Amino acid sequence: MPVAGLMVCQNVGAESTTGPDRIVKEARETIEATKEYTDQQKTAFQRKAQEELAALQQQIAVLRGKVEDASASTRAELQKSLNELEKKKDGVRKQLDELRHTTDRKWQEVQDGMNGALHELQQSYQKLLSRIP
């Protein structure tokens, strides 16, 4: 009987050794899967933001032509608004560059800021567009 009791103790010890190893392995796999998912989300968001910025740049170029065709009395005011719009666009471009170089931990914060900046840029564009005759 003492031999059987010893075997049971040996098996319990073996399971407890492999148990933590298995848990650590699963935790590492989960962390890797989460990191991969985050990287995919980050890449997809960067691509979408870049596309939106490129579309807005084209729209701003069209506005620039319309501002140049406006009457002299409104051109100065519209040009000032267009310059402000360009500054906002440059700020969005800078945030997009920051997003490319941000850590996974901080990227959600940068993403939220980027979304807000793109939204503000789009609103500014619409506001200027509505003022052009």
Side-chain angles (χ1 to χ4, degrees):
M1 283 214 179
V3 174
L6 181 60
M7 291 177 88
V8 170
C9 288
Q10 286 177 341
N11 285 340
V12 169
E15 286 178 20
S16 66
T17 304
T18 59
D21 290 341
R22 184 174 45 98
I23 292 170
V24 168
K25 181 183 176 197
E26 288 175 3
R28 284 187 181 140
E29 289 171 354
T30 301
I31 289 168
E32 272 304 307
T34 302
K35 183 179 178 344
E36 186 176 318
Y37 176 76
T38 301
D39 288 344
Q40 290 171 353
Q41 292 293 325
K42 184 177 170 183
T43 300
F45 179 78
Q46 287 173 347
R47 185 175 31 254
K48 181 180 178 247
Q50 182 63 42
E51 290 170 359
E52 287 183 37
L53 183 59
L56 280 167
Q57 283 178 304
Q58 289 176 341
Q59 293 170 335
I60 290 170
V62 170
L63 275 182
R64 185 177 308 287
K66 290 182 179 183
V67 167
E68 290 174 8
D69 292 340
S71 67
S73 61
T74 60
R75 189 178 313 135
E77 184 181 329
L78 292 174
Q79 186 61 45
K80 182 179 176 185
S81 295
L82 186 60
N83 290 342
E84 290 174 15
L85 186 61
E86 288 283 349
K87 286 179 185 177
K88 286 182 182 182
K89 179 196 63 146
D90 292 342
V92 169
R93 177 170 301 293
K94 184 178 177 184
Q95 284 184 319
L96 184 59
D97 289 341
E98 288 175 15
L99 181 64
R100 288 186 184 116
H101 302 293
T102 191
T103 62
D104 289 344
R105 223 182 280 161
K106 188 152 171 124
W107 98 269
Q108 185 66 43
E109 181 182 317
V110 175
Q111 178 189 20
D112 292 342
M114 182 76 189
N115 276 331
L118 278 169
H119 182 72
E120 184 180 333
L121 180 60
Q122 184 68 34
Q123 285 182 323
S124 295
Y125 167 79
Q126 292 296 330
K127 182 178 178 182
L128 179 57
L129 182 62
S130 71
R131 293 176 41 215
I132 294 179

